[in-house]
Coordinates of all heavy atoms in Angstrom, one line a residue:
M1 N 0.8 -1.2 0.0 CA 0.0 0.0 0.0 C 0.9 1.2 0.0 O 1.7 1.5 0.9 CB -0.9 0.0 1.2 CG -1.9 -1.2 1.2 SD -3.4 -0.7 1.7 CE -3.3 -0.8 3.5
S2 N 0.7 1.9 -1.1 CA 1.5 3.1 -1.1 C 0.6 4.4 -1.4 O 0.7 5.1 -2.3 CB 2.5 3.0 -2.3 OG 1.8 2.8 -3.5
A3 N -0.5 4.4 -0.7 CA -1.4 5.5 -0.8 C -0.8 6.7 -0.2 O -0.3 6.7 0.9 CB -2.7 5.2 -0.1
K4 N -0.8 7.7 -1.0 CA -0.1 9.0 -0.6 C -1.1 9.8 0.3 O -2.2 10.2 -0.2 CB 0.3 9.8 -1.7 CG 1.7 9.4 -2.2 CD 2.2 10.4 -3.2 CE 3.7 10.0 -3.7 NZ 4.1 10.9 -4.7
K5 N -0.8 9.8 1.4 CA -1.7 10.7 2.3 C -1.0 12.0 2.6 O 0.2 12.1 2.8 CB -1.8 9.9 3.7 CG -2.9 8.9 3.7 CD -3.2 8.4 5.1 CE -4.2 7.3 5.1 NZ -4.3 6.7 6.4
P6 N -1.8 13.0 2.4 CA -1.3 14.3 2.7 C -0.9 14.4 4.2 O -1.8 14.5 5.1 CB -2.4 15.3 2.4 CG -3.6 14.5 2.4 CD -3.2 13.0 2.0
Q7 N 0.4 14.2 4.4 CA 0.8 14.1 5.8 C 1.2 15.5 6.3 O 2.1 16.2 5.7 CB 2.0 13.2 5.9 CG 2.1 12.6 7.3 CD 3.2 11.5 7.3 OE1 4.0 11.5 6.4 NE2 3.2 10.7 8.3
P8 N 0.5 15.9 7.2 CA 0.9 17.2 7.8 C 2.2 17.1 8.5 O 2.4 16.5 9.5 CB -0.2 17.6 8.8 CG -0.8 16.3 9.2 CD -0.6 15.3 8.0
L9 N 3.2 17.7 7.8 CA 4.5 17.7 8.4 C 4.5 18.7 9.7 O 3.4 19.0 10.1 CB 5.5 18.2 7.4 CG 5.7 17.3 6.2 CD1 6.6 18.0 5.2 CD2 6.4 16.0 6.7
I10 N 5.6 18.9 10.1 CA 5.6 19.8 11.3 C 4.9 21.1 11.0 O 5.3 21.9 10.1 CB 7.1 20.1 11.7 CG1 7.9 18.8 11.9 CG2 7.1 20.9 13.0 CD1 9.4 18.9 11.6
S11 N 3.8 21.2 11.6 CA 3.0 22.4 11.4 C 3.7 23.6 11.8 O 4.8 23.6 12.4 CB 1.6 22.3 12.1 OG 1.9 22.0 13.5
R12 N 3.1 24.7 11.5 CA 3.7 26.0 11.8 C 4.2 26.0 13.3 O 3.6 25.5 14.2 CB 2.7 27.1 11.7 CG 2.6 27.6 10.2 CD 1.7 28.8 10.1 NE 0.4 28.4 10.4 CZ -0.5 29.3 11.0 NH1 0.0 30.5 11.3 NH2 -1.7 29.0 11.2
P13 N 5.3 26.6 13.5 CA 5.8 26.7 14.9 C 4.8 27.4 15.7 O 4.2 28.4 15.3 CB 7.1 27.5 14.7 CG 7.1 28.1 13.4 CD 6.3 27.2 12.5
K14 N 4.7 26.8 16.9 CA 3.6 27.3 17.8 C 4.0 28.8 18.2 O 3.1 29.6 18.4 CB 3.5 26.5 19.0 CG 2.6 25.3 18.8 CD 2.5 24.4 20.0 CE 1.7 23.2 19.8 NZ 1.7 22.3 20.9
H15 N 5.3 29.0 18.3 CA 5.6 30.3 18.8 C 6.5 31.0 17.9 O 7.5 30.5 17.3 CB 6.4 30.1 20.2 CG 5.6 29.2 21.1 ND1 4.4 29.7 21.7 CD2 5.9 28.0 21.6 CE1 4.0 28.7 22.5 NE2 4.8 27.7 22.5
D16 N 6.1 32.2 17.6 CA 6.9 33.0 16.8 C 8.2 33.6 17.5 O 8.2 33.6 18.7 CB 6.1 34.2 16.2 CG 4.9 33.7 15.4 OD1 5.2 32.7 14.6 OD2 3.9 34.3 15.4
R17 N 9.1 34.0 16.7 CA 10.2 34.7 17.3 C 9.9 36.2 17.5 O 9.3 36.8 16.6 CB 11.4 34.5 16.4 CG 12.1 33.1 16.6 CD 13.3 33.0 15.8 NE 13.8 31.6 15.9 CZ 14.6 31.2 16.9 NH1 15.0 32.1 17.8 NH2 15.1 30.0 16.9
C18 N 10.3 36.6 18.6 CA 10.1 38.1 18.9 C 11.0 38.9 17.9 O 12.2 38.7 17.8 CB 10.6 38.3 20.3 SG 10.6 40.0 20.8
P19 N 10.3 39.8 17.2 CA 11.1 40.6 16.3 C 12.0 41.6 16.9 O 12.9 42.2 16.3 CB 10.0 41.4 15.5 CG 8.8 41.4 16.5 CD 8.9 40.2 17.3
V20 N 11.9 41.8 18.2 CA 12.7 42.7 18.9 C 14.1 42.1 19.3 O 15.1 42.6 19.0 CB 12.0 43.3 20.1 CG1 12.9 44.3 20.8 CG2 10.7 44.0 19.7
C21 N 13.9 41.0 20.0 CA 15.2 40.4 20.6 C 15.5 39.1 19.9 O 16.6 38.6 20.0 CB 15.0 40.1 22.1 SG 13.8 38.9 22.5
G22 N 14.6 38.5 19.0 CA 14.9 37.3 18.2 C 14.7 36.0 19.0 O 14.9 35.0 18.4
E23 N 14.3 36.1 20.2 CA 14.1 34.9 21.0 C 12.6 34.5 20.8 O 11.8 35.2 20.4 CB 14.3 35.2 22.5 CG 15.7 35.6 22.8 CD 16.7 34.5 22.6 OE1 16.3 33.3 22.9 OE2 17.9 34.7 22.2
I24 N 12.4 33.1 21.0 CA 11.0 32.6 20.9 C 10.2 33.2 21.9 O 10.5 33.2 23.1 CB 11.0 31.1 20.9 CG1 11.7 30.5 19.7 CG2 9.6 30.6 21.1 CD1 12.0 29.0 19.8
S25 N 9.0 33.7 21.5 CA 8.1 34.3 22.4 C 6.9 33.4 22.6 O 6.4 32.8 21.7 CB 7.7 35.7 21.9 OG 6.6 36.2 22.6
Y26 N 6.5 33.4 23.8 CA 5.3 32.5 24.1 C 4.0 33.3 24.2 O 3.0 32.8 24.6 CB 5.6 31.8 25.4 CG 6.7 30.8 25.3 CD1 8.0 31.2 25.6 CD2 6.5 29.5 24.7 CE1 9.1 30.3 25.5 CE2 7.6 28.7 24.6 CZ 8.8 29.0 25.0 OH 9.9 28.2 24.8
S27 N 4.1 34.6 23.9 CA 2.9 35.4 24.0 C 2.2 35.3 22.7 O 2.7 35.0 21.7 CB 3.3 36.8 24.3 OG 3.9 37.4 23.3
Q28 N 0.9 35.6 22.7 CA 0.1 35.5 21.5 C 0.5 36.4 20.4 O 0.5 36.1 19.2 CB -1.4 35.8 21.9 CG -2.0 34.6 22.6 CD -3.5 34.8 22.7 OE1 -4.0 35.9 22.8 NE2 -4.3 33.7 22.7
T29 N 1.0 37.6 20.8 CA 1.4 38.6 19.7 C 2.7 38.2 19.1 O 3.1 38.7 18.1 CB 1.5 40.0 20.4 OG1 2.3 39.9 21.5 CG2 0.1 40.5 20.8
G30 N 3.5 37.3 19.8 CA 4.8 36.9 19.3 C 5.9 37.9 19.7 O 7.0 37.8 19.3
V31 N 5.5 38.8 20.5 CA 6.5 39.8 21.0 C 6.5 39.8 22.5 O 5.4 39.7 23.1 CB 6.2 41.2 20.5 CG1 7.3 42.2 20.9 CG2 6.0 41.3 19.0
H32 N 7.6 39.7 23.1 CA 7.7 39.7 24.5 C 7.1 41.0 25.0 O 7.4 42.1 24.4 CB 9.1 39.7 25.1 CG 9.8 38.4 24.7 ND1 10.9 38.3 23.9 CD2 9.5 37.1 24.9 CE1 11.3 37.1 23.7 NE2 10.4 36.3 24.3
P33 N 6.2 41.0 26.0 CA 5.6 42.2 26.5 C 6.6 43.3 26.8 O 6.5 44.5 26.5 CB 4.8 41.8 27.7 CG 4.6 40.3 27.6 CD 5.7 39.8 26.7
Q34 N 7.7 42.8 27.5 CA 8.7 43.8 27.9 C 9.5 44.3 26.6 O 9.9 45.5 26.6 CB 9.7 43.2 28.9 CG 10.6 42.1 28.4 CD 10.0 40.8 28.7 OE1 8.7 40.6 28.6 NE2 10.8 39.8 29.1
C35 N 9.6 43.4 25.6 CA 10.3 43.9 24.4 C 9.4 44.9 23.6 O 9.9 45.9 23.1 CB 10.5 42.7 23.5 SG 11.9 41.7 24.0
A36 N 8.1 44.7 23.6 CA 7.2 45.6 23.0 C 7.2 46.9 23.7 O 7.3 48.0 23.1 CB 5.7 45.1 23.0
M37 N 7.3 46.9 25.0 CA 7.4 48.1 25.8 C 8.7 48.8 25.5 O 8.7 50.0 25.4 CB 7.3 47.8 27.3 CG 5.9 47.9 27.8 SD 5.8 47.3 29.6 CE 6.8 48.6 30.3
R38 N 9.8 48.0 25.5 CA 11.1 48.6 25.2 C 11.1 49.3 23.9 O 11.7 50.4 23.7 CB 12.2 47.5 25.3 CG 13.5 48.1 25.6 CD 14.5 47.0 25.9 NE 14.6 46.1 24.7 CZ 15.4 45.0 24.7 NH1 16.0 44.6 25.8 NH2 15.4 44.2 23.6
Q39 N 10.5 48.6 22.9 CA 10.5 49.2 21.5 C 9.7 50.5 21.5 O 10.1 51.5 21.0 CB 9.9 48.2 20.6 CG 10.3 48.5 19.1 CD 9.7 47.4 18.2 OE1 8.6 46.9 18.5 NE2 10.4 47.1 17.2
A40 N 8.6 50.5 22.2 CA 7.7 51.6 22.2 C 8.4 52.8 22.9 O 8.4 53.9 22.6 CB 6.4 51.3 22.9
D41 N 9.1 52.3 24.0 CA 9.8 53.3 24.8 C 11.0 54.0 24.0 O 11.2 55.2 24.1 CB 10.4 52.6 26.1 CG 10.3 53.5 27.3 OD1 9.2 54.1 27.5 OD2 11.3 53.7 28.0
A42 N 11.7 53.2 23.2 CA 12.8 53.7 22.5 C 12.3 54.7 21.5 O 12.9 55.8 21.2 CB 13.5 52.5 21.7
K43 N 11.1 54.4 20.8 CA 10.5 55.3 19.9 C 10.2 56.6 20.6 O 10.4 57.7 20.1 CB 9.3 54.7 19.3 CG 9.5 53.9 18.0 CD 8.2 53.5 17.4 CE 8.4 52.5 16.3 NZ 7.2 51.9 15.8
R44 N 9.6 56.5 21.8 CA 9.1 57.7 22.5 C 10.3 58.5 22.9 O 10.3 59.7 22.8 CB 8.3 57.2 23.7 CG 7.4 58.3 24.2 CD 6.5 57.8 25.3 NE 7.4 57.2 26.4 CZ 6.9 56.5 27.3 NH1 5.7 56.1 27.4 NH2 7.7 56.0 28.3
M45 N 11.4 57.8 23.4 CA 12.6 58.5 23.8 C 13.2 59.3 22.7 O 13.6 60.4 22.9 CB 13.6 57.5 24.4 CG 13.1 56.9 25.7 SD 12.8 58.1 27.0 CE 14.4 58.5 27.6
K46 N 13.2 58.7 21.5 CA 13.7 59.4 20.4 C 12.9 60.7 20.1 O 13.5 61.7 19.8 CB 13.7 58.5 19.1 CG 15.0 57.9 18.7 CD 14.8 57.2 17.4 CE 16.1 56.5 17.0 NZ 15.9 55.7 15.8
H47 N 11.6 60.5 20.2 CA 10.7 61.6 19.9 C 11.0 62.7 21.0 O 11.1 63.9 20.6 CB 9.3 61.1 20.1 CG 8.3 61.9 19.3 ND1 8.4 62.0 17.9 CD2 7.3 62.8 19.7 CE1 7.4 62.8 17.5 NE2 6.8 63.3 18.6
I48 N 11.2 62.3 22.2 CA 11.4 63.3 23.2 C 12.7 64.0 23.1 O 12.9 65.2 23.3 CB 11.2 62.7 24.6 CG1 9.7 62.3 24.9 CG2 11.7 63.6 25.7 CD1 9.5 61.4 26.1
A49 N 13.7 63.1 22.8 CA 15.1 63.6 22.7 C 15.2 64.8 21.7 O 16.1 65.6 21.9 CB 16.0 62.5 22.4
R50 N 14.4 64.7 20.7 CA 14.6 65.7 19.6 C 13.9 67.0 20.0 O 14.2 68.1 19.5 CB 13.9 65.2 18.3 CG 14.7 64.0 17.8 CD 14.0 63.7 16.4 NE 14.2 64.7 15.5 CZ 14.6 64.5 14.2 NH1 14.8 63.3 13.8 NH2 14.7 65.5 13.4
K51 N 12.9 66.9 20.9 CA 12.2 68.1 21.2 C 12.9 69.2 22.0 O 12.9 70.4 21.5 CB 10.9 67.7 22.1 CG 9.7 67.5 21.2 CD 8.5 67.4 22.0 CE 7.2 67.3 21.1 NZ 6.0 67.0 21.8
P52 N 13.6 68.9 23.0 CA 14.3 70.0 23.8 C 15.2 70.9 23.0 O 15.2 72.1 23.1 CB 15.0 69.3 24.9 CG 14.4 68.0 25.0 CD 13.9 67.6 23.6
A53 N 15.9 70.3 22.1 CA 16.9 71.1 21.3 C 16.1 72.1 20.4 O 16.5 73.3 20.4 CB 17.7 70.1 20.4
A54 N 15.0 71.7 19.8 CA 14.2 72.6 19.0 C 13.6 73.6 19.9 O 13.6 74.8 19.5 CB 13.2 71.8 18.2
A55 N 13.1 73.3 21.0 CA 12.5 74.2 21.9 C 13.4 75.3 22.4 O 13.1 76.4 22.4 CB 11.8 73.4 23.1
S56 N 14.6 74.8 22.8 CA 15.5 75.8 23.4 C 16.0 76.8 22.3 O 16.2 78.0 22.5 CB 16.7 75.1 24.0 OG 17.4 74.4 23.0
R57 N 16.1 76.3 21.1 CA 16.5 77.2 20.0 C 15.4 78.2 19.7 O 15.7 79.4 19.4 CB 16.8 76.4 18.7 CG 18.3 76.1 18.6 CD 18.6 75.5 17.2 NE 18.5 76.4 16.1 CZ 18.7 76.1 14.9 NH1 19.0 74.9 14.5 NH2 18.6 77.0 13.9
K58 N 14.2 77.7 19.8 CA 13.1 78.6 19.5 C 13.0 79.7 20.5 O 12.7 80.8 20.1 CB 11.8 77.7 19.5 CG 10.7 78.3 18.7 CD 9.5 77.4 18.7 CE 8.3 78.1 18.0 NZ 7.1 77.4 18.1
S59 N 13.2 79.4 21.7 CA 13.0 80.4 22.8 C 14.0 81.5 22.6 O 13.7 82.7 22.9 CB 13.2 79.7 24.2 OG 14.6 79.4 24.3
V60 N 15.2 81.2 22.0 CA 16.1 82.3 21.8 C 15.7 83.1 20.6 O 15.8 84.3 20.6 CB 17.5 81.7 21.5 CG1 18.5 82.8 21.1 CG2 18.0 80.9 22.8
D61 N 15.3 82.4 19.5 CA 14.9 83.1 18.3 C 13.6 83.9 18.5 O 13.3 84.8 17.7 CB 14.8 82.1 17.2 CG 16.1 81.5 16.8 OD1 17.1 82.1 17.2 OD2 16.1 80.4 16.2
A62 N 12.8 83.4 19.4 CA 11.4 84.0 19.5 C 11.3 85.3 20.3 O 10.2 85.7 20.6 CB 10.5 82.9 20.1
A63 N 12.4 85.9 20.6 CA 12.4 87.1 21.3 C 11.8 88.2 20.5 O 12.3 88.7 19.5 CB 13.8 87.5 21.8
K64 N 10.6 88.6 20.9 CA 9.9 89.6 20.1 C 10.3 91.0 20.6 O 11.0 91.1 21.6 CB 8.4 89.5 20.4 CG 7.8 88.1 20.0 CD 7.6 88.1 18.5 CE 7.0 86.8 18.0 NZ 7.0 85.6 18.8
P65 N 10.0 92.1 19.8 CA 10.5 93.4 20.2 C 10.0 93.8 21.6 O 10.6 94.6 22.2 CB 9.9 94.3 19.1 CG 9.7 93.4 17.9 CD 9.4 92.0 18.5
W66 N 8.9 93.2 22.0 CA 8.4 93.6 23.3 C 8.8 92.6 24.4 O 8.3 92.6 25.5 CB 6.8 93.7 23.2 CG 6.2 92.5 22.9 CD1 5.8 91.4 23.7 CD2 5.8 92.0 21.6 NE1 5.2 90.4 23.0 CE2 5.2 90.8 21.7 CE3 5.9 92.6 20.3 CZ2 4.7 90.1 20.6 CZ3 5.5 91.9 19.2 CH2 4.9 90.7 19.3
Q67 N 9.8 91.8 24.0 CA 10.2 90.8 25.0 C 11.7 91.0 25.1 O 12.4 91.5 24.2 CB 9.9 89.4 24.5 CG 8.4 89.1 24.6 CD 8.1 87.7 24.1 OE1 8.7 87.3 23.1 NE2 7.2 87.0 24.8
R68 N 12.2 90.5 26.2 CA 13.7 90.3 26.4 C 14.0 89.1 27.2 O 13.1 88.7 28.0 CB 14.2 91.6 27.0 CG 13.7 91.9 28.3 CD 14.3 93.2 28.9 NE 13.4 93.8 29.8 CZ 13.6 95.1 30.3 NH1 14.7 95.7 29.9 NH2 12.8 95.6 31.2
I69 N 15.2 88.7 27.0 CA 15.6 87.4 27.7 C 16.3 87.8 28.9 O 17.3 88.5 28.9 CB 16.4 86.5 26.7 CG1 15.6 86.2 25.5 CG2 16.9 85.3 27.5 CD1 16.4 85.6 24.4
C70 N 15.9 87.2 30.0 CA 16.6 87.4 31.3 C 17.9 86.8 31.2 O 18.0 85.6 30.8 CB 15.8 86.8 32.4 SG 16.7 86.7 33.9
P71 N 19.0 87.5 31.4 CA 20.4 86.9 31.3 C 20.6 85.9 32.4 O 21.6 85.1 32.3 CB 21.3 88.1 31.5 CG 20.5 89.2 32.2 CD 19.0 88.9 31.8
K72 N 19.8 85.9 33.4 CA 20.0 85.0 34.5 C 19.4 83.6 34.3 O 20.0 82.6 34.4 CB 19.5 85.6 35.8 CG 20.2 85.1 37.1 CD 19.7 86.0 38.2 CE 20.3 85.4 39.5 NZ 19.8 86.2 40.7
C73 N 18.1 83.7 33.9 CA 17.4 82.4 33.8 C 17.0 82.1 32.3 O 16.4 81.1 32.0 CB 16.2 82.4 34.7 SG 14.9 83.5 34.1
K74 N 17.3 83.0 31.4 CA 17.1 82.8 30.0 C 15.6 82.7 29.7 O 15.3 82.2 28.6 CB 17.8 81.5 29.5 CG 19.2 81.4 29.9 CD 20.1 82.4 29.1 CE 21.5 82.1 29.5 NZ 22.4 83.3 29.4
A75 N 14.8 83.2 30.5 CA 13.3 83.2 30.3 C 12.9 84.5 29.6 O 13.5 85.6 29.9 CB 12.6 83.0 31.6
L76 N 12.0 84.3 28.7 CA 11.5 85.5 28.0 C 10.5 86.3 29.0 O 9.6 85.7 29.6 CB 10.7 85.1 26.8 CG 11.5 84.8 25.5 CD1 10.6 84.2 24.5 CD2 12.2 86.1 25.0
Q77 N 10.8 87.6 29.1 CA 9.9 88.4 29.9 C 9.4 89.6 29.1 O 10.1 90.0 28.2 CB 10.7 88.9 31.1 CG 11.2 87.8 32.1 CD 10.1 87.0 32.7 OE1 9.0 87.5 32.9 NE2 10.3 85.7 32.9
H78 N 8.3 90.1 29.5 CA 7.8 91.3 28.8 C 8.7 92.4 29.1 O 9.2 92.6 30.2 CB 6.4 91.5 29.3 CG 5.7 92.5 28.3 ND1 5.8 93.9 28.5 CD2 4.9 92.3 27.3 CE1 5.1 94.4 27.5 NE2 4.5 93.5 26.8
I79 N 8.9 93.3 28.1 CA 9.9 94.3 28.2 C 9.5 95.3 29.3 O 10.4 96.0 29.9 CB 10.1 95.0 26.9 CG1 11.4 95.7 26.8 CG2 8.9 96.0 26.6 CD1 12.1 95.7 25.4
R80 N 8.2 95.4 29.6 CA 7.8 96.3 30.7 C 8.0 95.8 32.1 O 7.9 96.5 33.1 CB 6.4 96.7 30.5 CG 6.2 97.6 29.2 CD 4.8 98.1 29.1 NE 4.5 99.1 30.1 CZ 3.5 99.9 30.1 NH1 2.6 99.7 29.2 NH2 3.3 100.8 31.0
K81 N 8.3 94.5 32.2 CA 8.6 94.0 33.5 C 10.0 94.4 34.0 O 10.9 94.4 33.2 CB 8.5 92.4 33.4 CG 7.2 91.9 33.6 CD 7.2 90.4 34.0 CE 5.8 89.9 34.4 NZ 5.9 88.5 34.8
K82 N 10.0 94.9 35.2 CA 11.2 95.4 35.7 C 12.0 94.3 36.4 O 13.2 94.3 36.5 CB 11.0 96.5 36.7 CG 10.5 97.8 36.0 CD 10.4 98.9 37.0 CE 9.9 100.2 36.4 NZ 8.5 100.1 36.1
V83 N 11.3 93.3 37.0 CA 12.0 92.3 37.7 C 11.5 90.9 37.2 O 10.3 90.7 37.0 CB 11.6 92.4 39.2 CG1 12.4 91.3 40.0 CG2 12.0 93.7 39.7
C84 N 12.4 90.1 36.9 CA 12.1 88.7 36.5 C 11.7 87.9 37.7 O 12.2 88.1 38.8 CB 13.4 88.1 35.8 SG 13.2 86.4 35.3
P85 N 10.8 86.9 37.5 CA 10.5 86.0 38.6 C 11.7 85.3 39.2 O 11.6 84.9 40.4 CB 9.6 84.9 37.9 CG 9.0 85.6 36.7 CD 10.1 86.6 36.2
C86 N 12.8 85.2 38.5 CA 13.9 84.6 39.1 C 14.7 85.5 40.1 O 15.6 85.2 40.8 CB 14.9 84.1 38.0 SG 15.9 85.4 37.3
G87 N 14.3 86.8 40.0 CA 14.9 87.8 41.0 C 15.8 88.7 40.3 O 16.3 89.7 40.8
H88 N 16.1 88.5 39.0 CA 17.0 89.4 38.2 C 16.2 90.7 37.9 O 15.1 90.7 37.5 CB 17.4 88.7 36.9 CG 18.2 89.7 36.1 ND1 19.5 89.9 36.3 CD2 17.9 90.4 35.0 CE1 20.0 90.7 35.4 NE2 19.0 91.1 34.5
T89 N 16.9 91.8 38.2 CA 16.3 93.1 37.9 C 16.8 93.6 36.6 O 18.1 93.7 36.4 CB 16.7 94.1 39.0 OG1 16.4 93.5 40.3 CG2 15.9 95.4 38.9
F90 N 15.9 93.9 35.7 CA 16.4 94.4 34.4 C 16.8 95.9 34.5 O 16.3 96.7 35.3 CB 15.2 94.3 33.4 CG 14.8 92.9 33.0 CD1 13.6 92.4 33.5 CD2 15.7 92.2 32.3 CE1 13.3 91.1 33.2 CE2 15.3 90.8 32.0 CZ 14.2 90.3 32.4
P91 N 17.8 96.2 33.7 CA 18.3 97.6 33.8 C 17.2 98.5 33.3 O 16.5 98.3 32.2 CB 19.5 97.6 32.8 CG 19.3 96.4 32.0 CD 18.6 95.4 32.9
V92 N 17.0 99.6 34.0 CA 15.9 100.5 33.6 C 16.4 101.5 32.5 O 17.5 102.0 32.6 CB 15.5 101.4 34.9 CG1 14.4 102.3 34.5 CG2 15.1 100.4 36.0
P93 N 15.6 101.7 31.5 CA 16.0 102.6 30.4 C 16.3 104.0 31.0 O 15.7 104.5 31.9 CB 14.8 102.7 29.5 CG 14.1 101.4 29.8 CD 14.4 101.0 31.2
S94 N 17.3 104.7 30.4 CA 17.8 106.0 30.9 C 16.7 107.0 30.8 O 16.7 108.0 31.6 CB 19.0 106.4 30.1 OG 18.7 106.5 28.8
T95 N 15.7 106.9 29.9 CA 14.7 107.8 29.8 C 13.8 107.9 31.0 O 13.2 108.9 31.3 CB 13.8 107.5 28.6 OG1 13.4 106.2 28.6 CG2 14.5 107.8 27.3
V96 N 13.8 106.8 31.7 CA 13.0 106.7 33.0 C 13.9 107.0 34.1 O 14.8 106.2 34.4 CB 12.3 105.4 33.1 CG1 11.4 105.4 34.4 CG2 11.4 105.1 31.9
S97 N 13.7 108.1 34.8 CA 14.6 108.5 35.9 C 13.9 107.9 37.2 O 12.7 108.1 37.4 CB 14.8 110.0 36.0 OG 13.5 110.6 36.1
Q98 N 14.7 107.2 37.9 CA 14.2 106.6 39.1 C 14.7 107.4 40.3 O 15.9 107.6 40.5 CB 14.6 105.1 39.2 CG 13.5 104.3 38.7 CD 13.7 102.8 39.1 OE1 14.8 102.4 39.4 NE2 12.7 102.1 39.2
R99 N 13.8 107.8 41.2 CA 14.3 108.5 42.4 C 13.5 108.0 43.6 O 12.3 107.9 43.5 CB 14.1 110.0 42.2 CG 15.2 110.6 41.5 CD 15.4 112.0 41.8 NE 16.6 112.6 41.0 CZ 17.0 113.8 41.2 NH1 16.5 114.6 42.1 NH2 18.0 114.2 40.4
Ligands
LIG1 ZN1 11.7 39.8 22.9
LIG2 ZN1 15.2 85.6 35.2

């Protein structure tokens, strides 16, 4: 008897390999929960890491004519403010005499 039976060979592996670390994962998604978290975290960290540089550059460039940057804390303050919240006192224009 040489009836050819469609023999199911080794069916698909039960567990996929985690695309993050390459190890076999036993979770349904095929990705280790901690690996998925790590991957998501890495993406998020990249996203965050790029932000501060752009923001700090913007704060310097964004000084409007009615604004000035406090030399002490680098914060933008309205030009009419005499004292910065950080305690720095802005030099008073000579046109305004203080007595
Ligand atoms: Zn993994
Ligand atoms: Zn200040």
